[in-house]
Amino acid sequence: MRSDRYEARENRFKKFTKVWAAIYFLVTAAFLGVLAYANLLPFDILWKVAAGVGVLFLLTFPALSIKAFRVSRKKIALFFSIIFMLCYGVGIVYLTGTMSFFSNITNIGGSTETYYVIVNSDSSYEDIGDIEGLTVDTLATEEIEYESAREKLVKKAKVEFNKMEKLSELGNNLLYDSDRIALLSEGHYTVVCEGLDGFQDETRILYEIKVRTESVSNSKSVNVTKEPFNVFISGLDTSGSIDEVSRSDVNMIVTVNPQTHKVLLTSVPRDTLISLRGKDGAQDKLTHAGLYGVGESIGSVEDLLGININYYVKVNYSTVMKLVDAIDGIDVESEYTFTTSGMHMAGLDGLTFYEGTNHLDGAGALAFARERHSFTDGDMQRNRNQQQVMTAILKKMLSSKTLLTKYTGILNSIEDNVETNFSSKEIRKLIKMQLDGMPSWDIEKKNVTGIPDSAICYSTGDYYVSIVVADMDSMTNAVSAINEVFDGK
């Protein structure tokens, strides 16, 4: 009787392993299929991985699926197949997550601009419905985005518009008359807050309007593993969603030569006076070009330096903080000991950095990269500090240890805070190139400098604001350095 029960259990176990073998086959095939489809590994690594998986499969699958094998052999095969399937499952999660990440950051769906309905702090208006039938001051501009904002406001409350030529007059009226109402873009609102004392404290935002505009890629594609290329890094002065247009506080050209493994970081001061390509050459600060989308920033830098920019990567404050935290911080070299100020809204005031090496978390890295008030040459030193942060991030991320152990954390941390017009295929090619031998990169830095001045700019109405007139010699040197990287020197 005992023998019959043993034989029955043995038969049930063999039936189970046969079913398990089918599941094992499907998971193994799925892993190999996703691995091939992801196209992330160089061929010499890919075939070795596939061969290793094949050998492991042949050592375990027959014992699971063929009835004639002993139960003891089947148990061993079952044990190892469970381990292998867990590994393949993790691999599938990593690979599908990677493909989803590429799809998300390369999906250029458009940009969003915020407009504010603003009232005096002492006004009786509490809700958008309270301004029904009243007159709203706004700028006398026919920009499509402003027109869209007006149309959206009229749908919420039927108002009339008083179009004014002077931004300063609009701001003063709102500040000193509790019955006035204004509609301004976020960019113009920021200008008035900076130019008119007390404006931000004595007014309040009654309602927000979001205006969506479509974007296009406009990449100048090259073979990224064979030909040199320029990438424009646009760092917006906002947190949260990457599709919000805002001032571009970081304007950096990353020149990459994949053959010589050389990278050049060239920073342009945010206040540099430029011509807005999309506004008939109107004069403005480079940082304000970001208010009209990353394409306007790229066009302005191309015209300023006389170069072509192939791709862009757009990031914001959230990107920096989350990425640095995901890789367990970075080490940067500070030229000076200084304490941050003027960043109370971001919660970054009062952080002290010391001359020499500093280990920074995400908030520290952002504060280090943003500070300018502590330095005699202000924005110029900030550019150098931004390059230090960028260099530290690149060096740590390109190390094999960080890539392998922090991979999913890196992707998850920045997925919603990065936009690029690199294609998924081009990103895959760059990753394969890096994995194929893990080459080290030579990273150098350049800065465009200039002379501080003040001027009325396109985006500032009739307010004078600080600008930087770019120094011709520094621009010539910067362009020469870019060309040398392109030429492989």
Side-chain angles (χ1 to χ4, degrees):
M1 182 68 73
R2 184 185 303 171
S3 177
D4 290 341
R5 288 200 300 270
Y6 180 80
E7 186 175 340
R9 286 199 302 269
E10 188 176 83
N11 287 334
R12 286 196 299 271
F13 181 73
K14 288 182 177 181
K15 288 179 181 179
F16 166 76
T17 57
K18 193 168 186 178
V19 173
W20 181 263
I23 299 172
Y24 179 42
F25 171 78
L26 292 175
V27 173
T28 304
F31 171 69
L32 291 174
V34 172
L35 184 65
Y37 180 76
N39 194 25
L40 289 170
L41 299 180
F43 179 74
D44 61 335
I45 297 178
L46 180 63
W47 80 261
K48 291 175 182 177
V49 172
V53 171
V55 169
L56 295 175
F57 183 78
L58 291 175
L59 290 173
T60 50
F61 182 77
L64 293 170
S65 60
I66 299 174
K67 188 175 182 180
F69 278 85
R70 293 181 181 179
V71 171
S72 59
R73 175 70 184 276
K74 286 180 175 291
K75 288 181 178 179
I76 295 172
L78 177 63
F79 172 77
F80 282 105
S81 69
I82 292 173
I83 294 174
F84 299 152
M85 284 178 65
L86 288 173
C87 294
Y88 301 155
V90 171
I92 290 171
V93 170
Y94 269 55
L95 291 167
T96 54
T98 300
M99 290 186 288
S100 173
F101 172 78
F102 292 160
S103 175
N104 190 44
I105 68 171
T106 58
N107 180 24
I108 306 172
S111 58
T112 302
E113 187 171 4
T114 302
Y115 287 76
Y116 297 138
V117 177
I118 312 160
V119 297
N120 188 284
S121 295
D122 294 330
S123 76
S124 60
Y125 311 126
E126 298 295 336
D127 184 81
I128 191 65
D130 293 341
I131 68 171
E132 181 84 25
L134 300 180
T135 299
V136 175
D137 296 334
T138 189
L139 276 182
T141 173
E142 303 305 319
E143 288 182 356
I144 295 174
E145 293 79 11
Y146 254 102
E147 289 290 346
S148 296
R150 292 174 192 135
E151 290 173 4
K152 288 192 172 189
L153 177 55
V154 169
K155 289 179 181 179
K156 296 296 295 185
K158 289 182 170 51
V159 298
E160 299 292 331
F161 291 103
N162 173 37
K163 296 183 179 181
M164 305 178 65
E165 295 291 340
K166 293 185 176 181
L167 184 60
S168 61
E169 183 180 350
L170 185 153
N172 277 299
N173 287 347
L174 191 61
L175 182 61
Y176 296 111
D177 188 341
S178 61
D179 292 327
R180 300 300 281 253
I181 312 161
L183 173 68
L184 288 175
S185 69
E186 184 179 27
H188 283 134
Y189 171 73
T190 302
V191 168
V192 181
C193 288
E194 292 175 349
L196 185 58
D197 289 342
F199 182 81
Q200 188 169 9
D201 294 331
E202 299 299 327
T203 62
R204 55 188 168 88
I205 296 171
L206 183 70
Y207 188 71
E208 291 188 8
I209 297 171
K210 300 289 185 179
V211 175
R212 184 78 175 173
T213 57
E214 296 303 313
S215 302
V216 292
S217 169
N218 289 330
S219 65
K220 302 178 180 71
S221 297
V222 298
N223 186 337
V224 292
T225 61
K226 301 294 183 182
E227 303 173 64
F229 54 90
N230 285 319
V231 185
F232 180 70
I233 307 295
S234 176
L236 305 183
D237 66 345
T238 58
S239 300
S241 177
I242 196 64
D243 68 353
E244 290 278 353
V245 298
S246 185
R247 297 179 300 183
S248 184
D249 269 7
V250 177
N251 301 277
M252 187 182 299
I253 304 146
V254 181
T255 307
V256 181
N257 189 320
Q259 295 294 301
T260 61
H261 300 117
K262 191 159 189 174
V263 174
L264 174 67
L265 308 180
T266 305
S267 291
V268 183
R270 68 187 293 276
D271 289 344
T272 300
L273 190 64
I274 49 87
S275 298
L276 294 170
R277 184 183 288 181
K279 306 297 180 183
D280 297 323
Q283 299 287 287
D284 210 330
K285 303 202 298 187
L286 177 56
T287 184
H288 290 157
L291 296 170
Y292 308 106
V294 68
E296 190 65 62
S297 297
I298 290 172
S300 300
V301 172
E302 286 184 328
D303 292 344
L304 179 71
L305 299 180
I307 62 173
N308 284 324
I309 292 175
N310 305 91
Y311 307 98
Y312 75 81
V313 177
K314 185 167 66 170
V315 298
N316 60 17
Y317 293 164
S318 298
T319 320
V320 176
M321 291 192 291
K322 291 180 179 179
L323 177 56
V324 172
D325 284 338
I327 59 178
D328 292 337
I330 55 175
D331 293 321
V332 299
E333 294 294 322
S334 178
E335 296 180 43
Y336 307 101
T337 295
F338 64 93
T339 300
T340 59
S341 62
M343 293 183 277
H344 61 280
M345 293 186 67
L348 301 176
D349 272 357
L351 298 181
T352 299
F353 304 93
Y354 299 94
E355 182 180 351
T357 303
N358 296 259
H359 183 77
L360 308 180
D361 61 6
L366 178 60
F368 185 85
R370 289 188 62 195
E371 177 62 28
R372 59 173 171 161
H373 299 292
S374 299
F375 312 116
T376 54
D377 54 353
D379 203 40
M380 308 302 170
Q381 182 61 42
R382 174 160 70 171
N383 285 347
R384 291 191 284 271
N385 286 350
Q386 288 169 354
Q387 291 176 340
Q388 291 280 52
V389 170
M390 175 69 76
T391 300
I393 290 173
L394 287 174
K395 285 184 176 179
K396 192 159 187 181
M397 286 184 61
L398 291 174
S399 73
S400 57
K401 180 180 178 181
T402 300
L403 276 176
L404 292 174
T405 60
K406 304 295 180 183
Y407 184 71
T408 55
I410 292 171
L411 298 192
N412 292 335
S413 68
I414 63 175
E415 183 171 7
D416 296 324
N417 304 105
V418 174
E419 180 186 291
T420 182
N421 62 347
F422 276 104
S423 68
S424 293
K425 183 179 179 180
E426 287 168 330
I427 296 174
R428 288 186 178 96
K429 290 176 72 173
L430 288 170
I431 291 174
K432 288 170 70 174
M433 178 185 69
Q434 183 62 24
L435 291 175
D436 190 11
M438 294 300 294
S440 60
W441 292 77
D442 179 19
I443 302 175
E444 295 187 358
K445 310 177 190 72
K446 278 283 183 181
N447 286 284
V448 173
T449 60
I451 301 171
D453 203 343
S454 63
I456 292 176
C457 297
Y458 177 82
S459 301
T460 62
D462 54 333
Y463 283 103
Y464 276 86
V465 292
S466 60
I467 63 167
V468 170
V469 179
D471 175 71
M472 289 301 298
D473 287 340
S474 73
M475 287 198 294
T476 300
N477 290 336
V479 173
S480 295
I482 290 171
N483 290 334
E484 286 180 3
V485 174
F486 263 69
D487 295 337
K489 295 181 180 178

